[in-house]
Amino acid sequence: MIRIYLLLMFFLWGQANAASMRDDSAVGTEPDLIEMVNVIQDFMDRIDLMLSYITEANNKDANLCKQELGKLSLRWTKYYLSIENIVLEEEEVLNMVMLLNDRIKELENSIDRRLSFFRQNEIFQQDLVSLHDFLKEYDEMEKLAVSYSLTEQTAGQLEDLKAREEILFEDASVKFGSLKSILNEFTELSDTKDEIEQLFADISVKSQKIKSAEYKPFLERIKDYLYSLAAVALLLMFVNMIQTKISAAKALKKNAKALKALQKQNSEEYPTI
């Protein structure tokens, strides 16, 4: 619906401009000041209308605006050349011309940014899919690393897996860097920031697990397991000790308040003579 409106709007502008050009050539005299101000304001209104729309335009409409801006710029240049001598002598008109030129430049930048967004968003979505695929691949590689690390006979396969993982992590890092760069440029995509950072964090954790995987004899694995249990037990004991101290401090504080209240009550019941 919006695109149909734009097409109709641009068509009417073209018809009005063509009629204006024919009138100017037929008269053969320099337009008066009021007419110049009206024409410049008309150009300004058209530019402002496109400026108000471009930030929400879809890809097709952004390209349509770019085409129409090119046509409008040519018409404006042609008209300006016909009034240049008068513009230089009239400060009010000169200020309008300078403002219009600034608006045209602003619209050009806005259109370029919008079209760049669509190009970068396409790359962004592809890289995001790649990051999800990397995580799936890392899930499989992590399982293989655990499997290869169980026996000495598969140590060679484990080293080959580590070499492949190193290349894969470099590729994932490049994709992550590309995604972060696009995110920094286009805040429109900021709602995916947490998802991207979590994906790369998961990949990094799995990467470290694969890198640290190695064959260990059964007894050494049992020893490592017991050490991990002991470490957990020590941690729990430390946490319980802290909680006990906190509870004791709270109880002591509560008892002190109760004792103070009792002393106050006794002093009120037995006043000093």
Side-chain angles (χ1 to χ4, degrees), residues 18-35:
S20 176
M21 292 298 182
R22 286 194 300 269
D23 292 343
D24 289 346
S25 60
V27 174
T29 58
E30 290 185 341
D32 60 31
L33 192 59
I34 295 178
E35 180 187 354

Side-chain angles (χ1 to χ4, degrees), residues 210-234:
I210 294 171
K211 285 181 171 65
S212 61
E214 59 180 355
Y215 167 72
K216 289 183 179 181
F218 179 73
L219 290 178
E220 191 172 346
R221 288 180 179 274
I222 293 296
K223 184 176 68 175
D224 290 345
Y225 176 70
L226 292 175
Y227 280 153
S228 66
L229 287 180
V232 172
L234 285 172

Side-chain angles (χ1 to χ4, degrees), residues 62-81:
N63 277 292
L64 178 61
C65 285
K66 186 177 181 68
Q67 294 171 9
E68 292 304 320
L69 176 60
K71 297 175 184 177
L72 196 65
S73 295
L74 287 175
R75 293 168 185 163
W76 163 242
T77 300
K78 182 178 179 181
Y79 181 75
Y80 174 75
L81 291 175

Side-chain angles (χ1 to χ4, degrees), residues 94-156:
L94 179 60
N95 290 335
M96 289 187 68
V97 168
M98 293 173 63
L99 181 59
L100 176 58
N101 287 334
D102 289 341
R103 294 283 179 82
I104 291 174
K105 186 62 179 177
E106 181 183 353
L107 180 57
E108 287 175 350
N109 293 337
S110 297
I111 292 174
D112 289 343
R113 186 188 183 281
R114 190 63 178 164
L115 292 174
S116 176
F117 166 76
F118 291 117
R119 291 192 297 269
Q120 293 299 313
N121 184 47
E122 186 175 351
I123 297 172
F124 184 88
Q125 298 303 328
Q126 292 172 355
D127 288 348
L128 183 56
V129 170
S130 296
L131 215 57
H132 278 283
D133 291 340
F134 281 136
L135 184 57
K136 292 178 183 177
E137 192 168 353
Y138 263 95
D139 289 337
E140 296 300 321
M141 291 177 70
E142 185 182 9
K143 295 175 184 177
L144 285 174
V146 172
S147 176
Y148 291 156
S149 67
L150 294 176
T151 63
E152 192 174 4
Q153 288 75 15
T154 55

